């Protein structure tokens, strides 16, 4: 359907300071067993009914394109008594508890409930799609339901659709050299494919009590962290664990993002922590399995079961550190900061800073946002890789 040299004396002194603040542990090689600490949850945006916006409502049909059958938006008004694929676009899905789509006349009188379903896109965020039999009179689209703050909402898409008696303009690309008889068969096949899809959508829609879509909820808990140490016992990143439970079966992507939150705005966005190793227990399923070095290498997008507690563990290092395919060596991608003199100066200043750093922790498809305070600055992490043999990737 639609549409990741030796440590200087100053660095060692900093390690002692951080140890006093709770960021480091005593010992060397066994420090990777440091007890986990809670990631401090911060109050992010509180989603309310005011965040919900009805941005668009598209009609589309199956057509033949250069790449084969595809859904293409129609041009102009829809045709009376014709089935179309529809795609409502709602902004602020995090604020939606449930939703129902209806067609009403110019006076707001209900014409019909529109069969609309919900799926999750590749990033895990939901999108809506369905199929509609166009009424024989002008209509508007209304979405209504309840927001997560408990308040009801009702949004009317501003466009008034005025159905026409003529077929909607479409861009069917019949391959060159197709005979009239073959072209007729192609159009008939498209119509039959649309009919079969409508049946499937209607069957799924009938499972929704009252045509109401209940938005799934993701519960994140026990988000904890500990320093990640190298085999030689030096700090090179952070290890984070968290638990996730889903209200419904389906595809989700509770991907973890960790990045330094510098007070200097010019430094922000220069570095993000990426997953070096990771695991999920129990292991979720994947419709089209990918080859991954570890289950969290390319996000956490899988099919998850409802009411099952999934435990995630991720070991993260700075994203300017590159590991070879054999996973035996590292190099430092300094050239990414070499675009101009200003970028080089910012990178040099960032690496020279020995101030303990706050790291922002964010988990997609959830409302979790937290911080790790007084953690290692990039100076310490960078020097660990240099001291243990990492060279510049361009040399």
């Amino acid at each position: 359907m639609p549409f990741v040299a030796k440590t200087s004396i100053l660095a060692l002194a900093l390690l002692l300071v951080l140890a006093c603040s709770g960021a480091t542990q005593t010992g060397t090689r066994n420090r990777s067993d440091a007890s986990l600490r809670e990631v401090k949850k911060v109050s992010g945006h509180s989603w309310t009914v005011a965040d919900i916006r009805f941005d668009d409502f598209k009609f589309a049909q199956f057509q033949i394109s250069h790449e084969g059958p595809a859904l293409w938006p129609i041009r102009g008004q829809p045709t009376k008594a014709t089935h179309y694929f529809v795609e409502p676009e709602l902004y602020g899905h995090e604020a939606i508890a449930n939703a129902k789509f209806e067609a009403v006349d110019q006076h707001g009188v209900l014409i019909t409930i529109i069969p609309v379903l919900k799926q999750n896109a590749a990033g895990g965020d939901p999108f809506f799609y369905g199929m509609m039999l166009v009424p024989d009179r002008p209509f508007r689209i209304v979405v209504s339901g309840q927001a997560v703050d408990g308040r009801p909402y009702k949004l009317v898409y501003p466009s008034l659709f005025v159905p026409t008696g003529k077929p909607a303009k479409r861009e069917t690309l019949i391959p060159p050299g197709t005979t009239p008889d073959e072209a007729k068969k192609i159009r008939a096949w498209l119509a039959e494919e649309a009919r079969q899809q409508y049946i499937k959508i209607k069957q799924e829609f009938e499972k929704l009590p009252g045509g109401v879509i209940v938005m799934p909820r993701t519960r994140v808990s026990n988000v904890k962290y500990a320093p990640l140490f190298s085999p030689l016992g030096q700090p090179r990143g952070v290890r984070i664990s968290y638990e996730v439970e889903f209200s419904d079966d389906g595809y989700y992507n509770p991907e973890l993002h960790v990045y330094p939150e510098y007070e200097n705005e010019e430094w922000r966005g220069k570095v993000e922590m990426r997953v070096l190793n990771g695991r999920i227990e129990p292991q979720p399923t994947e419709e089209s399995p990918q080859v991954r070095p570890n289950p969290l290498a390319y996000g956490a997008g899988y099919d998850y079961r409802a009411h099952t507690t999934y435990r995630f563990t991720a070991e993260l290092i700075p994203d300017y550190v590159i590991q070879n395919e054999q996973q035996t060596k590292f190099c430092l991608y300094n050239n990414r900061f070499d675009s101009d003199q200003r970028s080089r100066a910012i990178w040099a200043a960032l690496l020279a800073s020995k101030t303990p750093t706050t790291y922002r922790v964010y988990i997609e498809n959830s409302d979790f946002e937290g911080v790790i305070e007084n953690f290692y600055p990039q100076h310490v992490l960078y020097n660990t890789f240099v001291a243990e043999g990492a060279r510049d990737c361009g040399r």
Side-chain angles (χ1 to χ4, degrees):
M1 291 305 298
F3 347 116
V4 209
K6 294 183 180 179
T7 304
S8 68
I9 294 176
L10 287 174
L12 290 173
L14 178 60
L15 291 179
L16 293 174
V17 172
L18 291 172
C20 295
S21 70
T24 63
Q25 296 293 312
T26 58
T28 53
R29 296 178 184 272
N30 294 328
R31 287 189 291 181
S32 60
D33 296 326
S35 60
L36 295 168
R37 300 168 181 80
E38 295 283 347
V39 173
K40 180 181 177 182
K41 188 172 182 179
V42 297
S43 57
H45 179 73
S46 297
W47 296 94
T48 71
V49 68
D51 293 302
I52 306 172
R53 193 174 71 223
F54 196 178
D55 281 354
D56 203 355
F57 192 85
K58 300 174 183 177
F59 293 90
Q61 289 180 307
F62 264 132
Q63 299 180 32
I64 293 295
S65 71
H66 294 294
E67 299 178 354
L71 283 171
W72 284 39
I74 67 170
R75 292 184 297 166
Q77 295 294 323
T79 305
K80 298 177 182 178
T82 302
H83 283 112
Y84 290 95
F85 293 94
V86 294
E87 185 179 1
E89 291 187 6
L90 293 182
Y91 173 83
H93 62 83
E94 298 93 339
I96 301 173
N98 56 56
K100 179 170 65 175
F101 294 86
E102 300 171 318
V104 300
D105 66 16
Q106 291 171 283
H107 306 290
V109 177
L110 176 65
I111 298 175
T112 186
I113 298 176
I114 305 171
V116 173
L117 305 173
K118 180 204 71 68
Q119 280 192 357
N120 286 355
D125 289 336
F127 67 87
F128 301 94
Y129 71 95
M131 208 160 186
M132 178 181 181
L133 178 63
V134 175
D136 59 359
R137 57 192 185 277
F139 63 94
R140 286 189 170 90
I141 306 299
V142 176
V143 60
S144 61
Q146 189 176 50
V148 294
D149 62 2
R151 297 167 58 190
Y153 70 90
K154 184 176 182 179
L155 300 175
V156 181
Y157 186 62
S159 294
L160 176 67
F161 296 104
V162 182
T164 177
K166 300 179 181 180
K169 295 180 181 179
R170 51 194 296 175
E171 306 265 352
T172 305
L173 302 176
I174 302 296
T178 303
T179 66
D181 186 55
E182 290 172 334
K184 183 178 180 180
K185 290 180 180 179
I186 289 174
R187 294 189 178 94
W189 177 82
L190 289 172
E192 177 60 19
E193 184 68 16
R195 191 182 74 85
Q196 292 297 329
Q197 290 296 329
Y198 176 70
I199 292 173
K200 292 179 182 179
I201 290 173
K202 188 176 181 182
Q203 288 174 342
E204 289 299 312
F205 181 74
E206 288 174 349
K207 299 176 184 178
L208 302 179
V212 177
I213 301 168
V214 178
M215 299 295 284
R217 306 258 65 95
T218 301
R219 187 178 70 86
V220 174
S221 60
N222 295 326
V223 186
K224 299 181 179 181
Y225 77 98
L228 176 66
F229 295 100
S230 72
L232 297 182
Q234 299 302 317
R236 66 179 182 183
V238 60
R239 185 170 80 253
I240 294 182
S241 65
Y242 56 103
E243 297 179 352
V244 184
E245 187 174 315
F246 307 95
S247 63
D248 296 87
D249 291 352
Y251 177 89
Y252 302 87
N253 185 18
E255 183 177 2
L256 175 69
H257 296 276
V258 182
Y259 52 91
E261 191 171 62
Y262 296 111
E263 291 186 8
N264 188 329
E265 292 188 1
E266 286 190 308
W267 296 6
R268 294 181 183 177
K270 297 298 182 183
V271 177
E272 184 169 347
M273 305 298 284
R274 68 171 183 84
V275 175
L276 175 65
N277 291 303
R279 64 180 183 272
I280 309 173
E281 299 172 341
Q283 178 70 43
T285 59
E286 195 168 15
E287 185 174 345
S288 301
Q290 300 181 55
V291 177
R292 308 175 187 233
N294 67 77
L296 297 177
Y298 310 125
Y302 295 95
D303 292 316
Y304 295 89
R305 295 183 62 85
H307 311 303
T308 298
T309 300
Y310 292 89
R311 296 172 178 84
F312 296 74
T313 302
E315 297 180 347
L316 303 102
I317 60 174
D319 60 354
Y320 53 79
V321 181
I322 308 300
Q323 189 177 38
N324 64 2
E325 292 184 1
Q326 293 75 31
Q327 300 183 5
T328 57
K329 296 181 180 181
F330 296 99
C331 68
L332 302 167
Y333 185 29
N334 293 301
N335 285 349
R336 62 179 282 190
F337 309 103
D338 204 30
S339 58
D340 54 57
Q341 186 175 355
R342 184 58 186 163
S343 295
R344 290 191 293 271
I346 292 173
W347 177 233
L350 190 156
L351 277 186
S353 174
K354 300 172 179 62
T355 304
T357 303
T358 293
Y359 287 72
R360 179 72 58 166
V361 178
Y362 168 71
I363 299 174
E364 288 191 18
N365 296 165
S366 77
D367 63 353
F368 184 86
E369 194 169 346
V371 291
I372 298 171
E373 299 175 322
N374 297 320
F375 202 68
Y376 298 107
Q378 291 303 309
H379 166 81
V380 173
L381 307 183
Y382 187 95
N383 280 355
T384 290
F385 286 98
V386 171
E388 298 186 6
R391 298 290 181 259
D392 190 293
C393 294
R395 298 174 184 175

